Amino acid sequence: MTVGIIILAVPLGCWLLAAPKGWARPVIAAVLAAATLTAAAGMLNWLPQQVRWTGLVGAGCVLAVLPLVGLALVWPVHKGESGDRRGFAAALMVGCALLMGAASWLFGSFLHDNGRPAEIPAASELAPLPAGLLITSERSGCGSGSADFCEHDLDVGGTSGQNSGQVLDQVRGHLTASGWPLATDSRGGWSACRTHGSLLDAYQVCVSVAGTDTGAAVTLGTTSKW
């Protein structure tokens, strides 16, 4: 991780060494600095979940393309001679830009084809439960098969003497009102999926609901491919 973040800063450092004075030097340096910070934040999981991977790949593309554009705009051919400090910095920057471009393309293609890595869905996906219902137990974990998956299992019970059928009906009604288009599934329960995020961060969270002796069992799940 540390090595990756250091590599992200190479284009900016080389640009400052290679670029001659003029308007392009500070402008492109500022954009490179912003892209470097964005990519580093993506690697450290500091970006919002909805834009984490899109921001990381987008910043990588900027770090790959902008140094080459900057050199094409301001780099006189005669200053690129071997042995010249600026020439060495420019050559290193070109090599790093090509590396950034290849890495961004490969990573973006992987996300496009396989989806973002699966993460355990938060209980907040259920939205605040209505009065009279409460979560009595929770379990969560991840596994793999044809695709990586994570699940969050919650048992919901009543607080006001409702029987299990009434609790199940309340949970189903609450989920439907919260935007989950529940439909009967092959296991005799109800399930639905909905999409969060956009672009490379688009992913689905699915919910399934079934009755239990004490109320309702709710499972929230995500997979790395959908």
Side-chain angles (χ1 to χ4, degrees):
M1 179 73 73
T2 302
V3 173
I5 293 175
I6 292 173
I7 292 174
L8 291 173
V10 171
L12 174 60
C14 289
W15 170 257
L16 292 174
L17 287 174
K21 293 181 180 180
W23 65 269
R25 191 171 190 265
V27 171
I28 292 179
V31 178
L32 288 175
T36 299
L37 292 174
T38 300
M43 293 179 66
L44 294 170
N45 294 335
W46 291 350
L47 293 179
Q49 190 179 35
Q50 296 85 350
V51 297
R52 180 186 306 165
W53 304 110
T54 301
L56 179 57
V57 173
C61 291
V62 172
L63 292 173
V65 173
L66 191 60
L68 304 181
V69 173
L71 289 177
L73 287 174
V74 304
W75 189 254
V77 174
H78 70 275
K79 287 192 176 180
E81 297 172 356
S82 61
D84 181 84
R85 185 185 68 176
R86 286 186 174 176
F88 175 78
L92 182 60
M93 183 164 54
V94 169
C96 191
L98 294 175
L99 177 64
M100 295 286 186
S104 298
W105 182 83
L106 289 172
F107 191 40
S109 298
F110 173 82
L111 289 173
H112 180 268
D113 294 338
N114 297 282
R116 48 176 284 163
E119 297 180 355
I120 295 174
S124 58
E125 292 285 350
L126 296 182
L129 290 173
L133 297 179
L134 79 164
I135 296 172
T136 57
S137 66
E138 298 183 54
R139 301 167 301 282
S140 62
C142 298
S144 62
S146 58
D148 294 335
F149 66 89
C150 293
E151 292 184 340
H152 193 162
D153 299 315
L154 306 103
D155 293 321
V156 180
T159 61
S160 304
Q162 307 100 310
N163 60 44
S164 59
Q166 291 173 322
V167 171
L168 177 59
D169 288 341
Q170 277 187 276
V171 171
R172 287 176 54 203
H174 170 67
L175 289 172
T176 300
S178 299
W180 295 95
L182 292 176
T184 55
D185 57 33
S186 59
R187 295 175 293 182
W190 295 264
S191 59
C193 296
R194 62 186 183 186
T195 301
H196 293 310
S198 59
L199 299 176
L200 296 176
D201 286 288
Y203 69 104
Q204 279 190 328
V205 177
C206 295
V207 65
S208 61
V209 187
T212 66
D213 292 339
T214 57
V218 180
T219 297
L220 295 163
T222 64
T223 63
S224 61
K225 185 175 180 65
W226 54 277

